[in-house]
């Protein structure tokens, strides 16, 4: 249930069946659903009659909205509350004599970030909630870094400041996060009440981070820590509790980790690494850094101390994540850090293919011969003004 799939379910539900009816032949996925039982998507839930925020630039996308909603403090109208309610019922009725797999995907804190007043009240309505930023933070970042989010519905910091929306956006994001935390709490309570806690592996993670003004933007389309770092929590049998592991990991690691924790036969055709060694002893070193890619040629390499970014035009960034966790000072190009760059550069992916044919949304390509990028079909040149 919920946002396990982007905008729909992966089982035998209506959307999947409708696709099969319109196809010349059903694929194996339709013939054998991935889940035996599915529920409605959840999503945003009720929406205000009109947007709560002023018109945003770059198209004023309807999702670019945030604020207090519903006004009556009734969380039951929200899609994520309904996702949690359905999941609680599955836990209550789970078979006692056989294993089960249950996936619950929460929409928030995805935009539009609507939360009821009680969640906003957890956070002060003053500037203390705002993230720390550095004025002109992009002065030492390559121009190519802008290409990754050249024209997007997510507004720049300049707009949220000028529109008096920065604090509102941050509080909305925090309120939505706390609301979802409470829904997760409902699931954990249901596991306790069903007597399943000690024999159930629980994994909690997010799909990406979100800039709230850092690096002069809002949104996720970056290779910096703010856009790529997510919570990742494991609990249950085979996991030593109370540990905090500082080793970098990837979401690709979840699958092989669950395989090992549940005793399912191992597979050799997946790229992730099992995190069981770290779950048993947080000090255990991982054999490689975490790698994030954003279109062809753009990659972030995250080790425990460093973040190295390599863009398609060859430009680079390097940050000391211990002494500069906000990534304010780009150290790439400094001779004293050449060895660090070389060590991280060797982890750049060997397989780096272009976008699939007919890809369109948020697709970036680069032609080294002309030194031109193409963002969503629009040519971008060095001298073009950066969209605001």
């Amino acid at each position: 249930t919920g946002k396990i799939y982007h905008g729909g379910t992966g089982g035998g539900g209506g959307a999947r069946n409708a696709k099969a009816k319109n196809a010349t032949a059903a694929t194996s996925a339709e013939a054998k659903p991935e889940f035996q039982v599915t529920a409605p998507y959840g999503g945003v839930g009720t929406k205000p009659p009109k947007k709560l925020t002023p018109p945003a630039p770059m198209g004023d996308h309807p999702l670019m909205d945030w604020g207090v909603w519903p006004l009556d403090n009734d969380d039951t109208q929200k899609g994520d509350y309904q996702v949690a309610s359905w999941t609680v019922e599955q836990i209550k009725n789970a078979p006692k004599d056989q294993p089960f797999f249950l996936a619950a995907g929460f929409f928030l804190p995805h935009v539009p970030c609507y939360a009821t007043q009680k969640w906003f009240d957890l956070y002060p309505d003053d500037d203390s909630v705002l993230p720390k930023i550095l004025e002109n933070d992009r002065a030492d970042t390559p121009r190519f870094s802008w290409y990754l989010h050249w024209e997007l519905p997510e507004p720049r910091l300049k707009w949220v400041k000028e529109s008096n929306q920065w604090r509102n956006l941050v509080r909305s994001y925090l309120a939505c996060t706390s609301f979802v935390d409470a829904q997760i709490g409902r699931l954990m309570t249901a596991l306790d009440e069903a007597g399943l806690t000690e024999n159930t592996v629980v994994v909690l993670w997010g799909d990406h981070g979100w800039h709230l003004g850092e690096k002069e933007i809002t949104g996720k389309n970056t290779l910096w820590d703010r856009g790529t770092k997510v919570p990742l929590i494991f609990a249950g049998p085979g996991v030593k509790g109370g540990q905090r592991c500082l080793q970098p990991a990837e979401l690709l690691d979840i699958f092989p980790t669950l395989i090992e924790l549940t005793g399912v036969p191992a597979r050799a055709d997946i790229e992730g690494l099992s995190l069981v060694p770290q779950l048993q002893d947080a000090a255990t070193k991982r054999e490689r850094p975490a790698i994030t890619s954003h279109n062809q040629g753009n990659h972030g390499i995250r080790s425990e101390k460093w973040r190295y970014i390599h863009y398609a035009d060859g430009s680079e960034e390097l940050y000391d994540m211990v002494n500069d966790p906000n990534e304010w000072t780009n150290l790439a190009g400094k001779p004293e850090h050449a060895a660090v760059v070389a060590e991280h550069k060797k982890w750049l992916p060997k397989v780096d293919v272009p976008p699939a044919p007919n890809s369109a949304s948020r697709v970036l390509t680069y032609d080294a011969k002309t030194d031109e990028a193409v963002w969503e079909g629009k040519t971008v040149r060095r001298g073009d003004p950066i969209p605001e």
Side-chain angles (χ1 to χ4, degrees), residues 108-109 112-115 119 171-181:
L108 292 172
C113 284
Y114 301 136
W119 304 106
R171 290 184 78 222
S172 298
Y173 190 91
L174 296 174
C176 289
T177 303
S178 291
F179 165 71
V180 170
D181 283 348

Side-chain angles (χ1 to χ4, degrees), residues 36-88:
Q36 292 138 321
V37 179
T38 59
Y41 174 61
V44 180
T46 63
K47 301 178 183 178
K50 63 179 182 178
K51 285 182 65 173
L52 303 177
T53 60
M58 302 189 203
D60 192 29
H61 196 286
L63 291 181
M64 290 303 112
D65 199 19
W66 46 83
V68 178
W69 184 265
L71 299 177
D72 57 5
N73 254 345
D74 182 9
D75 283 336
T76 64
Q77 301 178 48
K78 302 188 71 61
D80 285 341
Y81 187 94
Q82 295 160 11
V83 164
S85 296
W86 184 88
T87 308
V88 166

Side-chain angles (χ1 to χ4, degrees), residues 8 24 48 81 96 153 156 163 187 200 205 221 330 371:
T24 55
Y81 187 94
K96 305 295 184 183
R156 313 298 198 194
S163 303
L187 306 190
T200 301
W205 78 100
N221 281 62
N330 179 13
D371 191 31

Side-chain angles (χ1 to χ4, degrees), residues 314-325:
S315 55
E316 299 172 308
E317 297 177 58
L318 178 70
Y319 298 100
D320 182 339
M321 301 306 300
V322 175
N323 298 306
D324 181 25

